Amino acid sequence: MRATRVLEALPANTPFIGPERLMREGGLRELVRLGANESAFGPSPRAVAAMSGELERLSWYGDPDSYELRETLAARNGCTIDQILVACGIDDLMGLVVRAFVEIGGVAIAARGTYPTFAYHVAGYGGRLETAPYTDAGEPDLEALSALAHQLHASVAYLANPDNPSGTFISGERIAAFYESLPVGTLLLLDEAYADFAEQELLLEPRFEDRLIRARTFSKAYGLAGARIGYTLTTAHNVERFERIRLQYGVNRNAQIGALAALEDEAHLAWVVRETAAARDAYAELARGVGMTVLPSRANFICIDIGDARRATRVMNALLERGVWIRKPGAPPLDRCIRVTAGTPPMREAFARALRDVLREIA
Ligand SMILES: *Cc1c(COP(=O)(O)O)cnc(C)c1O
């Protein structure tokens, strides 16, 4: 019995190896989790209370329309409720975008080595991903991406801003120019997973057009990664398209409740954003102290330049042996870096100790 041609042609591929597996395989009992850009500062206590209070009603399905949450999001974003689709995180939304807009054999483009789920869906739906390397400064190369889109008639261009894994940020003006430079047949999927950490006035201005889909999440600044919930800002037309293929009951009922309560706790969000900036500063200072540099970051993680890819891999593995889990970019030119998530002061201290140890060891 054969599976589909598309599936049979896929390589065995695990885009993410979870820390749980690393612990099992490494015989580690504890891990300082600085590898997945989860919030070290936790969800809003109001979200936790709201979710806890509703646990007894887990026998009910959630509202398939996520109506209340979309109502609140629409008010926050100055749009109508029908311009918002709620899904099980951006990872889910990316699958919908690819399924809706990339034909089998069709081309999508992205920066080489960017957040991997988009590539995973493109392969899974039988599309072809073409990439352009990051600039040496660690930014997605907008000019190269635009040229690629024209050359290959790409149906979707994926761009994360702030970017992962670099952490670099491109101003709304430059994003707008990039968007306008794309062919009329190319849709821009703008992944704003980390937008909450950037200055809001520097983001791309509100813009609702069929060729633009912005994706947001509660996984990062709101600290609800395990709840799996995110949303789009796009046109009602696109939302209606997704309505035809989305998993109607995919979004966890408790996640809707938690997300709504989290949105109302603006003080918690502001605190997380401040703590995150403090963590980035602490890492930058640590890096300076050991003679290294960092990439500029507007996200809840930072890239430390270790010098070359082999050394960066060695540092990452040696940190794991010491119970500190981080990740590193996989493709040049960023593969000379390690990527470390913003941690609480004790987590930062554990990382600093382990890093100094490792650098001494491999000197
Ligand atoms: C973490 C991350 C995501 C995942 O978001 P979910 O809403 O948890 O699926 C998406 N995009 C980028 C760039 C990320 O770093």
Side-chain angles (χ1 to χ4, degrees):
M1 172 66 201
R2 283 180 63 85
T4 64
R5 266 187 299 249
V6 166
L7 198 152
E8 291 291 1
L10 286 178
N13 170 15
T14 310
F16 299 99
I17 294 177
E20 292 78 8
R21 189 200 288 186
L22 294 174
M23 289 173 77
R24 269 195 314 275
E25 291 177 353
L28 297 162
R29 296 192 43 205
E30 270 182 72
L31 208 58
V32 183
R33 284 173 81 115
L34 296 172
N37 305 336
E38 298 152 329
S39 177
F41 310 104
S44 151
R46 282 161 69 170
V48 173
M51 292 168 94
S52 307
E54 284 288 331
L55 278 177
E56 282 176 21
R57 272 175 287 281
L58 266 186
S59 52
W60 295 359
Y61 287 107
D63 171 9
D65 297 321
S66 296
Y67 193 89
E68 270 187 82
L69 178 59
R70 282 163 64 225
E71 215 175 24
T72 303
L73 287 170
R76 296 289 175 102
N77 288 286
C79 66
T80 56
I81 181 167
D82 59 0
Q83 292 170 314
I84 292 175
L85 182 82
V86 173
C88 317
I90 294 179
D91 284 4
D92 181 23
L93 290 167
M94 283 196 231
L96 291 176
V97 172
V98 172
R99 189 172 162 203
F101 291 99
V102 182
E103 301 279 2
I104 291 180
V107 175
I109 60 165
R112 188 172 307 157
T114 190
Y115 184 73
T117 307
F118 182 70
Y120 178 78
H121 284 307
V122 171
Y125 284 111
R128 198 175 100 225
L129 185 76
E130 295 290 340
T131 58
Y134 282 82
T135 67
D136 269 332
E139 274 186 11
D141 189 334
L142 298 186
E143 265 179 45
L145 285 170
S146 180
L148 209 54
H150 281 274
Q151 185 195 331
L152 303 171
H153 308 286
S155 46
V156 178
Y158 169 79
L159 184 70
N161 191 49
D163 177 67
N164 183 8
S166 69
T168 54
F169 176 72
I170 296 172
S171 72
E173 273 166 44
R174 287 178 60 210
I175 298 284
F178 170 64
Y179 171 60
E180 280 151 23
S181 81
L182 291 172
V184 290
T186 304
L187 177 148
L188 174 61
L189 172 55
L190 184 61
D191 181 341
E192 297 185 311
Y194 300 99
D196 300 298
F197 298 106
E199 296 91 323
Q200 298 305 293
E201 65 280 10
L202 295 185
L203 297 177
L204 177 68
E205 61 188 25
R207 208 165 165 157
F208 295 86
E209 293 162 21
D210 278 351
R211 284 179 52 234
L212 177 64
I213 297 178
R214 303 171 82 155
R216 302 265 176 96
T217 184
F218 289 93
S219 295
K220 305 289 157 65
Y222 287 100
L224 288 169
R228 310 305 304 126
I229 187 160
Y231 62 97
T232 62
L233 298 172
T234 185
T235 57
H237 182 206
N238 281 342
V239 170
E240 188 279 320
R241 287 163 153 166
F242 297 136
E243 283 293 344
R244 298 183 227 171
I245 54 171
R246 78 181 175 99
L247 197 55
Q248 296 289 328
Y249 282 99
V251 179
N252 186 307
R253 180 171 189 275
N254 236 9
Q256 292 175 22
I257 288 160
L260 193 56
L263 275 178
E264 273 149 25
D265 194 348
E266 288 176 24
H268 180 79
L269 180 69
W271 174 72
V272 169
V273 170
R274 276 198 310 276
E275 284 297 313
T276 300
R280 286 194 312 252
D281 290 348
Y283 290 147
E285 200 180 309
L286 168 70
R288 259 194 308 280
V290 294
M292 289 173 177
T293 57
V294 297
L295 294 182
S297 170
R298 291 272 216 326
N300 69 344
F301 58 86
I302 199 162
C303 274
I304 302 178
D305 190 339
I306 304 293
D308 66 68
R310 260 198 37 213
R311 213 165 120 88
T313 301
R314 235 181 120 189
V315 168
M316 176 178 72
N317 293 337
L319 286 170
L320 183 62
E321 283 168 20
R322 285 164 176 77
V324 176
W325 177 56
I326 57 148
R327 279 201 176 112
K328 72 176 288 302
L334 297 177
D335 58 350
R336 62 179 199 267
C337 299
I338 57 171
R339 191 199 70 185
V340 191
T341 303
T344 59
M347 294 165 89
R348 271 139 52 185
E349 197 39 53
F351 169 69
R353 233 178 299 121
L355 181 68
R356 287 197 198 99
D357 250 27
V358 167
L359 292 177
R360 222 173 295 124
E361 185 186 271
I362 69 173

